[in-house]
Amino acid sequence: MFQFMRQSPSRRTFLTAVGTAATTLTIPSLTSERAAASDSGDFAWPITGTITSTYYDTRDGGTRTHRGIDADRYTGDPIYAARAGTVSTASYTSGYGYRVVIDHESGYQSRYAHCQSDLKVSVGDTVEKHEHIADIGSSGGDYAAHVHFDIKRDGEYQYIPGEYYDSISHTDAIPKDFPGLSGSGGDGGAAYSWPTYADGDSGESVYSIQYLLEDHGYALDYHDGIYGSEVETAVEDFQASRGLAVDGVVGPNTWESLYVPVLSASDDPYWATYGAQHHLRDGEGYSISVDGYYGSETKNAVESFQSSAGLAVDGKVGHDTWQALVDI
């Protein structure tokens, strides 16, 4: 008999038994694997929620194998693009209900099914990693609300290691390398890197850290561009909440979870937008208002910055644009 016991991401236990004898095997923490995946950032999880069905689960009395994961949260909660790409399907399909399919480089596709009918994207749209593309629903059958998510390459399903996790976050990378992908799956263009900041540092990028922490719900007393004990404590709490190594230092893996995309006037998270504007004005010299609202003035400044930085020009502050802003 073989029994799998799903536990937290940091510990998995397998029980093998023959008759009454049993052996317990503890497999090392996946934290380092998650960190490595976050650094490369091939694909992210599509929602923040709970995995309810994993790859290789059997269906229909064992006659069919699940080639993806199912994850749920609440009806109407957002579904996010797992990687930047171009929408190739945004419609109703028998069995899958309302679904979105995104084409990526090297023959990859990510697919999101059983969405609510008011899809947030259309065929031909270019989307960023972590962009809100649909909402969790139950279309296509008699299902509880959830999203079916799978990844294909050249028509072949790709394994997704969902059995390692009870809960997932859309800001975390799927802990698996997908061959043939470049960069971080962000918004494309020139290569930049995440800098490292710690207690005692200061500057425009520390302002960005403070504003991004605010966007994640960490209320700070000071927005002064100084990396002091208040910022360090908030970073440690944030790292603990995301399963990262807790050291109070904002390095590449923490940046990957910390940055928040600023995509349009209809999707402009206040503090993240404020931080991007502040950096564009005080760090890059653009004469714009810093008010937390994404309008044409901010969009024009973002596009100008992207052009000067050698990035794809789309006016969206996605992964690579944030990285270029804070790179030193």
Side-chain angles (χ1 to χ4, degrees):
M1 177 181 179
F2 181 89
Q3 180 183 2
F4 174 73
M5 299 176 63
R6 184 189 291 173
Q7 297 189 3
S8 69
S10 62
R11 185 173 183 269
R12 292 172 291 150
T13 302
F14 289 85
L15 296 181
T16 58
V18 179
T20 58
T23 302
T24 300
L25 304 175
T26 300
I27 294 181
S29 168
L30 287 178
T31 301
S32 60
E33 295 177 46
R34 172 186 285 186
S38 294
D39 199 23
S40 62
D42 289 344
F43 284 97
W45 298 110
I47 71 165
T48 296
T50 302
I51 292 179
T52 55
S53 180
T54 61
Y55 202 93
Y56 294 135
D57 280 356
T58 56
R59 303 287 177 86
D60 301 332
T63 62
R64 184 168 63 90
T65 302
H66 195 212
R67 298 299 188 185
I69 65 164
D70 291 344
D72 65 9
R73 180 70 172 174
Y74 300 110
T75 299
D77 274 6
I79 301 169
Y80 301 95
R83 184 178 175 87
T86 302
V87 177
S88 58
T89 299
S91 62
Y92 188 91
T93 305
S94 178
Y96 284 108
Y98 288 97
R99 69 169 181 162
V100 174
V101 179
I102 302 174
D103 292 345
H104 311 284
E105 63 184 287
S106 300
Y108 283 96
Q109 283 187 328
S110 57
R111 310 193 309 165
Y112 316 75
H114 309 305
C115 309
Q116 291 193 338
S117 60
D118 57 335
L119 301 176
K120 310 304 180 185
V121 293
S122 301
V123 172
D125 285 353
T126 299
V127 297
E128 306 292 353
K129 188 178 186 179
H130 305 315
E131 184 167 345
H132 182 192
I133 59 171
D135 293 326
I136 293 174
S138 56
S139 60
D142 185 18
Y143 308 114
H146 73 288
V147 60
H148 167 85
F149 171 69
D150 62 53
I151 298 171
K152 285 186 170 184
R153 187 183 191 189
D154 297 328
E156 298 292 329
Y157 287 102
Q158 303 295 300
Y159 167 67
I160 301 172
E163 66 270 25
Y164 299 151
Y165 296 95
D166 282 327
S167 60
I168 54 175
S169 171
H170 76 276
T171 60
D172 287 339
I174 295 173
K176 177 181 183 295
D177 290 328
F178 292 85
L181 295 177
S182 62
S184 60
D187 34 347
Y192 292 87
S193 59
W194 293 117
T196 297
Y197 283 90
D199 187 22
D201 290 333
S202 61
E204 191 58 40
S205 292
V206 179
Y207 277 108
S208 294
I209 291 169
Q210 291 172 324
Y211 295 132
L212 289 169
L213 285 168
E214 288 277 4
D215 208 274
H216 285 283
Y218 295 87
L220 303 179
D221 292 331
Y222 302 102
H223 304 135
D224 54 8
I226 298 173
Y227 202 121
S229 59
E230 182 185 50
V231 174
E232 184 178 49
T233 298
V235 169
E236 289 174 347
D237 290 344
F238 175 77
Q239 289 170 328
S241 74
R242 297 308 171 97
L244 299 168
V246 178
D247 58 9
V249 176
V250 178
N253 296 323
T254 300
W255 276 114
E256 287 288 345
S257 291
L258 184 63
Y259 87 90
V260 177
V262 179
L263 304 172
S264 67
S266 61
D267 189 359
D268 55 347
Y270 176 80
W271 283 111
T273 304
Y274 195 98
Q277 290 171 328
H278 195 284
H279 210 124
L280 286 164
R281 186 192 68 184
D282 293 1
E284 302 297 332
Y286 290 92
S287 180
I288 61 172
S289 300
V290 179
D291 55 12
Y293 297 99
Y294 183 104
S296 59
E297 181 184 66
T298 299
K299 184 175 186 291
N300 291 338
V302 171
E303 290 177 344
S304 176
F305 172 76
Q306 289 172 326
S307 178
S308 66
L311 299 169
V313 178
D314 60 7
K316 301 176 181 180
V317 188
H319 177 282
D320 294 352
T321 301
W322 264 118
Q323 200 171 59
L325 279 171
V326 302
D327 195 9
I328 55 175

PDB file of all heavy atoms in Angstrom, residues 190 192 280 284 286 301-313 324-325:
ATOM      1  N   ALA A 190      15.024  44.320 -23.100  1.00  0.00           N
ATOM      2  CA  ALA A 190      16.385  44.234 -22.597  1.00  0.00           C
ATOM      3  C   ALA A 190      16.426  43.560 -21.229  1.00  0.00           C
ATOM      4  O   ALA A 190      15.459  43.566 -20.483  1.00  0.00           O
ATOM      5  CB  ALA A 190      16.983  45.641 -22.499  1.00  0.00           C
ATOM      6  N   TYR A 192      17.513  43.162 -17.438  1.00  0.00           N
ATOM      7  CA  TYR A 192      17.938  43.863 -16.236  1.00  0.00           C
ATOM      8  C   TYR A 192      17.912  42.858 -15.093  1.00  0.00           C
ATOM      9  O   TYR A 192      17.454  41.728 -15.254  1.00  0.00           O
ATOM     10  CB  TYR A 192      17.014  45.054 -15.943  1.00  0.00           C
ATOM     11  CG  TYR A 192      17.140  46.166 -16.966  1.00  0.00           C
ATOM     12  CD1 TYR A 192      16.378  46.145 -18.128  1.00  0.00           C
ATOM     13  CD2 TYR A 192      18.037  47.205 -16.781  1.00  0.00           C
ATOM     14  CE1 TYR A 192      16.505  47.147 -19.083  1.00  0.00           C
ATOM     15  CE2 TYR A 192      18.169  48.216 -17.723  1.00  0.00           C
ATOM     16  CZ  TYR A 192      17.400  48.178 -18.875  1.00  0.00           C
ATOM     17  OH  TYR A 192      17.534  49.166 -19.815  1.00  0.00           O
ATOM     18  N   LEU A 280       9.452  57.193 -11.485  1.00  0.00           N
ATOM     19  CA  LEU A 280       9.562  57.860 -12.781  1.00  0.00           C
ATOM     20  C   LEU A 280       9.863  59.349 -12.611  1.00  0.00           C
ATOM     21  O   LEU A 280      10.672  59.917 -13.352  1.00  0.00           O
ATOM     22  CB  LEU A 280       8.270  57.672 -13.576  1.00  0.00           C
ATOM     23  CG  LEU A 280       8.047  56.280 -14.178  1.00  0.00           C
ATOM     24  CD1 LEU A 280       6.597  56.103 -14.598  1.00  0.00           C
ATOM     25  CD2 LEU A 280       8.983  56.043 -15.364  1.00  0.00           C
ATOM     26  N   GLU A 284      13.811  59.090 -12.467  1.00  0.00           N
ATOM     27  CA  GLU A 284      14.080  59.151 -13.904  1.00  0.00           C
ATOM     28  C   GLU A 284      13.860  60.534 -14.505  1.00  0.00           C
ATOM     29  O   GLU A 284      14.155  60.757 -15.677  1.00  0.00           O
ATOM     30  CB  GLU A 284      13.207  58.127 -14.641  1.00  0.00           C
ATOM     31  CG  GLU A 284      13.413  56.691 -14.178  1.00  0.00           C
ATOM     32  CD  GLU A 284      14.817  56.181 -14.443  1.00  0.00           C
ATOM     33  OE1 GLU A 284      15.443  56.666 -15.409  1.00  0.00           O
ATOM     34  OE2 GLU A 284      15.290  55.306 -13.691  1.00  0.00           O
ATOM     35  N   TYR A 286      10.949  62.340 -14.994  1.00  0.00           N
ATOM     36  CA  TYR A 286       9.732  62.643 -15.751  1.00  0.00           C
ATOM     37  C   TYR A 286       8.842  63.590 -14.948  1.00  0.00           C
ATOM     38  O   TYR A 286       8.630  63.398 -13.751  1.00  0.00           O
ATOM     39  CB  TYR A 286       8.966  61.362 -16.076  1.00  0.00           C
ATOM     40  CG  TYR A 286       9.668  60.502 -17.101  1.00  0.00           C
ATOM     41  CD1 TYR A 286      10.550  59.502 -16.699  1.00  0.00           C
ATOM     42  CD2 TYR A 286       9.465  60.705 -18.463  1.00  0.00           C
ATOM     43  CE1 TYR A 286      11.214  58.718 -17.635  1.00  0.00           C
ATOM     44  CE2 TYR A 286      10.120  59.924 -19.402  1.00  0.00           C
ATOM     45  CZ  TYR A 286      10.996  58.935 -18.984  1.00  0.00           C
ATOM     46  OH  TYR A 286      11.653  58.166 -19.910  1.00  0.00           O
ATOM     47  N   ALA A 301       4.676  58.489 -19.795  1.00  0.00           N
ATOM     48  CA  ALA A 301       5.985  58.433 -19.139  1.00  0.00           C
ATOM     49  C   ALA A 301       6.524  57.011 -19.121  1.00  0.00           C
ATOM     50  O   ALA A 301       7.719  56.778 -19.350  1.00  0.00           O
ATOM     51  CB  ALA A 301       5.880  58.985 -17.720  1.00  0.00           C
ATOM     52  N   VAL A 302       5.646  56.040 -18.845  1.00  0.00           N
ATOM     53  CA  VAL A 302       6.069  54.635 -18.848  1.00  0.00           C
ATOM     54  C   VAL A 302       6.564  54.238 -20.233  1.00  0.00           C
ATOM     55  O   VAL A 302       7.620  53.604 -20.382  1.00  0.00           O
ATOM     56  CB  VAL A 302       4.911  53.715 -18.398  1.00  0.00           C
ATOM     57  CG1 VAL A 302       5.283  52.245 -18.606  1.00  0.00           C
ATOM     58  CG2 VAL A 302       4.572  53.961 -16.932  1.00  0.00           C
ATOM     59  N   GLU A 303       5.821  54.612 -21.270  1.00  0.00           N
ATOM     60  CA  GLU A 303       6.222  54.262 -22.632  1.00  0.00           C
ATOM     61  C   GLU A 303       7.563  54.905 -22.995  1.00  0.00           C
ATOM     62  O   GLU A 303       8.417  54.272 -23.635  1.00  0.00           O
ATOM     63  CB  GLU A 303       5.140  54.690 -23.618  1.00  0.00           C
ATOM     64  CG  GLU A 303       3.871  53.848 -23.515  1.00  0.00           C
ATOM     65  CD  GLU A 303       2.777  54.324 -24.448  1.00  0.00           C
ATOM     66  OE1 GLU A 303       2.874  55.477 -24.942  1.00  0.00           O
ATOM     67  OE2 GLU A 303       1.818  53.562 -24.683  1.00  0.00           O
ATOM     68  N   SER A 304       7.752  56.159 -22.596  1.00  0.00           N
ATOM     69  CA  SER A 304       9.018  56.832 -22.874  1.00  0.00           C
ATOM     70  C   SER A 304      10.171  56.135 -22.153  1.00  0.00           C
ATOM     71  O   SER A 304      11.249  55.922 -22.731  1.00  0.00           O
ATOM     72  CB  SER A 304       8.934  58.298 -22.442  1.00  0.00           C
ATOM     73  OG  SER A 304      10.179  58.951 -22.617  1.00  0.00           O
ATOM     74  N   PHE A 305       9.938  55.771 -20.888  1.00  0.00           N
ATOM     75  CA  PHE A 305      10.974  55.065 -20.130  1.00  0.00           C
ATOM     76  C   PHE A 305      11.282  53.718 -20.770  1.00  0.00           C
ATOM     77  O   PHE A 305      12.456  53.342 -20.917  1.00  0.00           O
ATOM     78  CB  PHE A 305      10.531  54.871 -18.682  1.00  0.00           C
ATOM     79  CG  PHE A 305      11.455  53.977 -17.897  1.00  0.00           C
ATOM     80  CD1 PHE A 305      12.678  54.447 -17.443  1.00  0.00           C
ATOM     81  CD2 PHE A 305      11.112  52.651 -17.640  1.00  0.00           C
ATOM     82  CE1 PHE A 305      13.547  53.617 -16.743  1.00  0.00           C
ATOM     83  CE2 PHE A 305      11.967  51.816 -16.940  1.00  0.00           C
ATOM     84  CZ  PHE A 305      13.191  52.302 -16.491  1.00  0.00           C
ATOM     85  N   GLN A 306      10.253  52.975 -21.150  1.00  0.00           N
ATOM     86  CA  GLN A 306      10.470  51.671 -21.776  1.00  0.00           C
ATOM     87  C   GLN A 306      11.296  51.800 -23.048  1.00  0.00           C
ATOM     88  O   GLN A 306      12.207  51.003 -23.299  1.00  0.00           O
ATOM     89  CB  GLN A 306       9.123  51.008 -22.077  1.00  0.00           C
ATOM     90  CG  GLN A 306       8.374  50.544 -20.836  1.00  0.00           C
ATOM     91  CD  GLN A 306       6.964  50.074 -21.136  1.00  0.00           C
ATOM     92  OE1 GLN A 306       6.300  50.604 -22.033  1.00  0.00           O
ATOM     93  NE2 GLN A 306       6.495  49.086 -20.394  1.00  0.00           N
ATOM     94  N   SER A 307      10.990  52.806 -23.848  1.00  0.00           N
ATOM     95  CA  SER A 307      11.738  53.011 -25.087  1.00  0.00           C
ATOM     96  C   SER A 307      13.208  53.304 -24.801  1.00  0.00           C
ATOM     97  O   SER A 307      14.107  52.731 -25.426  1.00  0.00           O
ATOM     98  CB  SER A 307      11.113  54.159 -25.884  1.00  0.00           C
ATOM     99  OG  SER A 307      11.839  54.416 -27.065  1.00  0.00           O
ATOM    100  N   SER A 308      13.458  54.175 -23.823  1.00  0.00           N
ATOM    101  CA  SER A 308      14.842  54.542 -23.507  1.00  0.00           C
ATOM    102  C   SER A 308      15.603  53.388 -22.862  1.00  0.00           C
ATOM    103  O   SER A 308      16.829  53.311 -22.970  1.00  0.00           O
ATOM    104  CB  SER A 308      14.864  55.760 -22.579  1.00  0.00           C
ATOM    105  OG  SER A 308      14.313  55.446 -21.309  1.00  0.00           O
ATOM    106  N   ALA A 309      14.863  52.475 -22.200  1.00  0.00           N
ATOM    107  CA  ALA A 309      15.505  51.344 -21.519  1.00  0.00           C
ATOM    108  C   ALA A 309      15.623  50.115 -22.412  1.00  0.00           C
ATOM    109  O   ALA A 309      16.137  49.080 -21.976  1.00  0.00           O
ATOM    110  CB  ALA A 309      14.716  50.988 -20.260  1.00  0.00           C
ATOM    111  N   GLY A 310      15.144  50.210 -23.652  1.00  0.00           N
ATOM    112  CA  GLY A 310      15.235  49.079 -24.565  1.00  0.00           C
ATOM    113  C   GLY A 310      14.224  47.988 -24.295  1.00  0.00           C
ATOM    114  O   GLY A 310      14.439  46.822 -24.660  1.00  0.00           O
ATOM    115  N   LEU A 311      13.096  48.352 -23.664  1.00  0.00           N
ATOM    116  CA  LEU A 311      12.049  47.387 -23.347  1.00  0.00           C
ATOM    117  C   LEU A 311      10.944  47.430 -24.395  1.00  0.00           C
ATOM    118  O   LEU A 311      10.834  48.391 -25.163  1.00  0.00           O
ATOM    119  CB  LEU A 311      11.445  47.697 -21.972  1.00  0.00           C
ATOM    120  CG  LEU A 311      12.384  47.640 -20.772  1.00  0.00           C
ATOM    121  CD1 LEU A 311      11.698  48.225 -19.541  1.00  0.00           C
ATOM    122  CD2 LEU A 311      12.821  46.206 -20.498  1.00  0.00           C
ATOM    123  N   ALA A 312      10.120  46.392 -24.411  1.00  0.00           N
ATOM    124  CA  ALA A 312       8.917  46.423 -25.232  1.00  0.00           C
ATOM    125  C   ALA A 312       8.043  47.579 -24.753  1.00  0.00           C
ATOM    126  O   ALA A 312       7.806  47.737 -23.554  1.00  0.00           O
ATOM    127  CB  ALA A 312       8.163  45.104 -25.112  1.00  0.00           C
ATOM    128  N   VAL A 313       7.562  48.401 -25.675  1.00  0.00           N
ATOM    129  CA  VAL A 313       6.810  49.604 -25.321  1.00  0.00           C
ATOM    130  C   VAL A 313       5.317  49.285 -25.332  1.00  0.00           C
ATOM    131  O   VAL A 313       4.708  49.108 -26.392  1.00  0.00           O
ATOM    132  CB  VAL A 313       7.117  50.757 -26.294  1.00  0.00           C
ATOM    133  CG1 VAL A 313       6.284  51.992 -25.946  1.00  0.00           C
ATOM    134  CG2 VAL A 313       8.604  51.095 -26.258  1.00  0.00           C
ATOM    135  N   ALA A 324      13.706  47.147 -14.500  1.00  0.00           N
ATOM    136  CA  ALA A 324      14.537  48.209 -15.066  1.00  0.00           C
ATOM    137  C   ALA A 324      14.488  49.474 -14.208  1.00  0.00           C
ATOM    138  O   ALA A 324      15.498  50.173 -14.060  1.00  0.00           O
ATOM    139  CB  ALA A 324      14.087  48.522 -16.486  1.00  0.00           C
ATOM    140  N   LEU A 325      13.322  49.776 -13.635  1.00  0.00           N
ATOM    141  CA  LEU A 325      13.198  50.964 -12.791  1.00  0.00           C
ATOM    142  C   LEU A 325      14.102  50.882 -11.563  1.00  0.00           C
ATOM    143  O   LEU A 325      14.749  51.863 -11.183  1.00  0.00           O
ATOM    144  CB  LEU A 325      11.745  51.151 -12.344  1.00  0.00           C
ATOM    145  CG  LEU A 325      10.778  51.801 -13.333  1.00  0.00           C
ATOM    146  CD1 LEU A 325       9.346  51.692 -12.814  1.00  0.00           C
ATOM    147  CD2 LEU A 325      11.139  53.271 -13.563  1.00  0.00           C
TER     148      LEU A 325
END
